[in-house]
Amino acid sequence: MSLALAVIGGTGVYRLAALQNVETHELDTPYGAPSGPIRVGDLGGQRVAFLARHGEGHTVPPHRINYRANVFALHQLGARRVVGINAVGGITERMGPRVLAVPDQLIDYTHGRLSSFCDVEGAKVEHVDFTEPYSRALRTALLRAAHDAGVEVVDGGVYGCTQGPRLETIAEIARLRRDGCDLVGMTGMPEAALARELGLDYASLNLVANWAAGCGDQAEITMDEVFGNLEAVSAQVPKVLAALLRDIC
Ligand code: HPA
């Protein structure tokens, strides 16, 4: 199947309402089952696949997501480009709630996740280059698409991936800030590395849901705040994706 794009939706993005003529694929992979069905449909005259990373009912927590199955299944369906949509907390000044950002670097703080396709008996070990963890071409296309769609997006930033599912302490976020992180989320890794292992073009669109712990003036982070901001900012996502499909095809 020829797919122009695959999209992995994160917290707050469980479907692409604009997809037409949708086919549903319930796939199995050598790594197990993906988080849920993959919906393939038409968007802007192109075939696009969509997968909800946490499941369509948000039932899979970040550390239990089968990232290998998700990425492999999209590859199996014919995807060559993947945009991951990730909810994040903002750490540095320009990353306030409701901002969209396209990070250009990441630091992985996760542990215990199955993070490589080499991690199976008999697989040939490969050390993929990860100097630039996101596809430069797809990042550029996403930024151009946002511009064309009139959607403001921050170009660049360092994404720190924490283990979750709990949010971080003030001290943990202070450490991430010292490390140079601008954004913090729980799902960007190992997804980006797995996409690289399969030779996919992968970029991430971050939706800032809240100031990370200790960064705003809030005493605590509430789910009302997180989901309220995500609902508002995720309304921009279909516009960016529609423009992206016009640009890349
Ligand atoms: N930390 C980690 N992940 C997140 C956050 C956060 O503050 N907000 C949304 N996803």
Side-chain angles (χ1 to χ4, degrees):
M1 180 186 311
S2 166
L3 289 175
L5 183 69
V7 178
I8 303 179
T11 302
V13 182
Y14 306 107
R15 52 195 283 272
L16 284 184
L19 276 189
Q20 307 266 306
N21 306 319
V22 177
E23 280 170 14
T24 297
H25 297 262
E26 306 262 7
L27 294 183
D28 199 10
T29 79
Y31 308 95
S35 300
I38 297 176
R39 313 279 182 192
V40 178
D42 296 324
L43 193 63
Q46 312 287 341
R47 283 309 266 175
V48 174
F50 179 83
L51 172 62
R53 188 186 286 114
H54 296 276
E56 291 181 347
H58 199 132
T59 49
V60 191
H63 62 299
R64 298 192 64 111
I65 290 168
N66 190 338
Y67 294 95
R68 294 196 302 182
N70 287 355
V71 174
F72 195 87
L74 292 171
H75 181 257
Q76 232 175 1
L77 271 180
R80 295 297 171 259
R81 289 187 197 103
V82 180
V83 171
I85 299 173
N86 304 84
V88 294
I91 298 175
T92 48
E93 201 179 339
R94 58 190 183 149
M95 301 299 190
R98 303 192 181 191
V99 161
L100 283 99
V102 179
D104 59 354
Q105 276 295 327
L106 63 81
I107 301 178
D108 187 4
Y109 299 91
T110 65
H111 49 86
R113 299 185 182 186
L114 292 170
S115 55
S116 172
F117 292 109
C118 299
D119 200 4
V120 288
E121 197 68 25
K124 187 165 171 288
V125 178
E126 280 196 55
H127 302 281
V128 290
D129 175 69
F130 209 41
T131 309
E132 290 193 33
Y134 303 108
S135 153
R136 196 181 271 202
L138 192 52
R139 281 194 72 254
T140 303
L142 258 181
L143 291 165
R144 192 181 334 119
H147 177 266
D148 293 351
V151 174
E152 233 178 275
V153 170
V154 177
D155 176 359
V158 179
Y159 173 98
C161 193
T162 56
Q163 179 73 353
R166 65 166 177 83
L167 295 165
E168 300 73 30
T169 66
I170 291 175
E172 286 169 336
I173 293 297
R175 172 190 170 208
L176 265 68
R177 187 194 285 277
R178 288 195 298 277
D179 284 354
C181 295
D182 298 290
L183 302 149
V184 57
M186 302 174 189
T187 53
M189 282 293 285
E191 193 171 279
L194 291 165
R196 180 62 52 85
E197 283 192 359
L198 292 184
L200 300 171
D201 265 358
Y202 179 90
S204 170
L205 181 61
N206 285 184
L207 313 182
V208 183
N210 53 280
W211 282 116
C215 296
D217 52 15
Q218 81 280 20
E220 61 180 57
I221 299 163
T222 67
M223 285 304 104
D224 281 354
E225 176 195 359
V226 165
F227 285 106
N229 285 328
L230 284 178
E231 196 178 329
V233 71
S234 63
Q236 309 285 7
V237 170
K239 294 186 225 170
V240 176
L241 293 178
L244 179 66
L245 286 160
R246 279 196 296 275
D247 284 356
I248 60 180
C249 297

